[in-house]
DNA sequence: AACAAGACCTGCATGC
DNA sequence: TGCATGCAGGTCTTGT
């Protein structure tokens, strides 16, 4: 489900509602998501004040006033909903956060690929899910040189490499396809051949497409909804994702957008425009 | 060590 | 209508 722009949209939705608020009650309606919730999850959160709502790659990070950090990942189908938008408890509402201003936030995740954990702030960098993450794509630290360094020696395809969170953190299947289209590079190209100017072009394309998607509130395909219940609309701006057989927006080739499978994931591209 | 495939789950669209 | 199949925005684990 959510890639970096969707998670950032969620972060921006939660931030005004949660920052500075105290958690009066946290209910885990089942003991596990993808992994078991940490022992005493609800108790450890109850009474804590949320210092801020942050994001690293596709992870939401909520530092608390006891120096624990709540780590949350949306998996493929996770979403947060804020009161007062539709406040019955719904199917797959697995975790409920009650705030000291009367607000309520429900975490819903039908497929349960998401997870939550609590980690002392001092250990955060070493958390198993965060420790190996590569550069944040919208940061100044990420540029052509950084990407080229990450791709050096990689035998896999550039598409698969962009999904490797150690190379660049936060890109997923949609935006990998879209960025490669914008950069004019075939998703089948060997990752190690993307150096120099090509790497600069891909890095720039990643920044551009992620930035535009964030400004659109992310992409709402199946599961992504914003905390306020609104939909993102970047899906209308896709050039290739899900466009199998449709004309390529960049050239007049007859066959249109092709769909292939790489590392078990669908890839969409224009074989003529992307080399 | 690096890579591709499998696994984890539910819901939905499709086709018979 | 019912059932089987395949697919979905992620990432850990397994096997080569």
């Amino acid at each position: 489900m959510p890639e970096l722009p969707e998670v950032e949209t969620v972060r921006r939705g939660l931030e005004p509602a949660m920052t500075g608020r105290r958690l009066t009650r946290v209910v885990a309606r089942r003991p596990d998501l993808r992994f078991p919730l940490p022992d005493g999850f609800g108790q450890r959160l109850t009474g804590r004040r949320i210092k801020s709502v942050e994001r690293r790659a596709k992870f939401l990070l909520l530092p608390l006033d006891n120096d624990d950090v709540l780590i949350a990942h949306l998996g493929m189908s996770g979403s947060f909903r804020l009161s007062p938008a539709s406040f019955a408890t719904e199917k797959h509402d697995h975790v409920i956060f009650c705030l000291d201003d009367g607000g309520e936030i429900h975490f819903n995740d039908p497929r349960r690929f998401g997870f939550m954990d609590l980690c002392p702030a001092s250990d955060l960098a070493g958390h198993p899910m965060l420790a190996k993450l590569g550069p944040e794509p919208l940061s100044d630290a990420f540029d052509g040189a950084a990407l080229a360094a990450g791709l050096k020696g990689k035998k896999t395809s550039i598409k698969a490499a962009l999904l490797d969170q150690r190379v660049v953190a936060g890109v997923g299947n949609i935006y990998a396809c879209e960025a490669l289209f914008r950069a004019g590079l075939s998703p089948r190209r060997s990752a190690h051949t993307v150096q120099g100017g090509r790497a600069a072009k891909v890095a720039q394309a990643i920044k551009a497409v992620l930035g535009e998607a964030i400004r659109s509130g992310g992409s709402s395909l199946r599961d992504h909804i914003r905390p306020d219940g609104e939909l993102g609309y970047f899906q209308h701006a896709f050039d290739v994702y899900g466009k199998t057989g449709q004309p390529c927006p960049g050239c007049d080739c007859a066959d249109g957008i092709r769909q292939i499978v790489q590392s078990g994931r669908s890839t969409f591209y224009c074989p003529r425009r992307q080399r």
Side-chain angles (χ1 to χ4, degrees), chain A residues 72-92:
Chain A
H73 194 286
L74 302 173
M76 289 280 265
S77 60
S79 62
F80 284 93
R81 271 198 341 281
L82 291 174
S83 58
S86 88
F87 252 92
T89 299
E90 295 182 8
K91 191 175 183 185
H92 306 304

Side-chain angles (χ1 to χ4, degrees), chain A residues 63-108:
Chain A
L64 308 172
D65 62 357
N66 65 346
D67 280 339
D68 269 347
V69 178
L70 172 61
I71 304 170
H73 194 286
L74 302 173
M76 289 280 265
S77 60
S79 62
F80 284 93
R81 271 198 341 281
L82 291 174
S83 58
S86 88
F87 252 92
T89 299
E90 295 182 8
K91 191 175 183 185
H92 306 304
D93 275 357
H94 302 311
V95 184
I96 295 177
F97 299 89
C98 301
L99 306 177
D100 61 353
D101 63 353
E104 206 171 298
I105 293 167
H106 294 193
F107 176 73
N108 184 285

Side-chain angles (χ1 to χ4, degrees), chain A residues 24-263:
Chain A
T24 54
R25 202 160 91 96
V26 176
V27 180
R29 302 181 68 239
R30 54 175 303 136
D32 60 320
L33 296 171
R34 177 170 181 188
F35 308 114
L37 290 165
D39 288 339
F41 182 72
Q43 288 81 357
R44 286 172 69 183
L45 288 166
T46 298
R48 301 278 64 81
R49 192 177 293 283
I50 298 163
K51 296 202 286 191
S52 59
V53 181
E54 295 166 33
R55 178 189 59 73
R56 168 78 170 108
K58 302 172 193 173
F59 296 86
L60 289 166
L61 303 175
L62 282 70
L64 308 172
D65 62 357
N66 65 346
D67 280 339
D68 269 347
V69 178
L70 172 61
I71 304 170
H73 194 286
L74 302 173
M76 289 280 265
S77 60
S79 62
F80 284 93
R81 271 198 341 281
L82 291 174
S83 58
S86 88
F87 252 92
T89 299
E90 295 182 8
K91 191 175 183 185
H92 306 304
D93 275 357
H94 302 311
V95 184
I96 295 177
F97 299 89
C98 301
L99 306 177
D100 61 353
D101 63 353
E104 206 171 298
I105 293 167
H106 294 193
F107 176 73
N108 184 285
D109 184 7
R111 294 177 72 180
R112 261 183 293 122
F113 286 173
F115 76 90
M116 293 190 194
D117 199 6
L118 285 166
C119 176
S122 55
D123 299 342
L124 195 63
H127 189 281
M129 300 296 279
L130 304 175
K132 293 181 176 173
L133 291 176
E136 199 58 38
L138 295 177
S139 72
D140 291 341
F142 181 69
D143 57 12
L147 179 60
L151 297 175
K152 194 176 171 192
K154 278 203 161 288
K155 295 291 189 212
T156 191
S157 65
I158 180 63
K159 159 73 184 324
L162 293 181
L163 295 182
D164 183 341
Q165 301 296 295
R166 297 170 300 184
V167 172
V168 55
V171 176
N173 204 37
I174 292 177
Y175 298 105
C177 293
E178 295 294 323
L180 287 171
F181 175 80
R182 292 182 181 214
L185 283 193
S186 169
R188 310 169 65 146
R189 169 183 284 276
S190 282
H192 65 84
T193 69
V194 180
Q195 296 287 316
R198 284 182 186 138
K201 214 166 174 179
V202 174
Q204 194 280 330
I206 289 171
K207 286 176 188 281
V209 74
L210 295 181
E212 289 170 34
I214 290 170
R215 286 192 284 282
S216 298
S219 303
S220 291
L221 292 187
R222 296 158 195 85
D223 301 309
H224 171 63
I225 52 169
R226 303 150 104 192
D228 59 9
E230 297 297 307
L231 299 176
Y233 49 92
F234 190 73
Q235 64 277 14
H236 302 301
F238 292 167
D239 287 319
V240 292
Y241 186 83
K243 305 275 187 188
T244 310
Q246 295 183 38
C248 163
C251 67
D252 58 355
C253 50
D255 294 342
I257 302 303
R258 181 186 294 178
Q259 178 175 1
I260 60 174
V261 175
Q262 295 179 290
S263 303

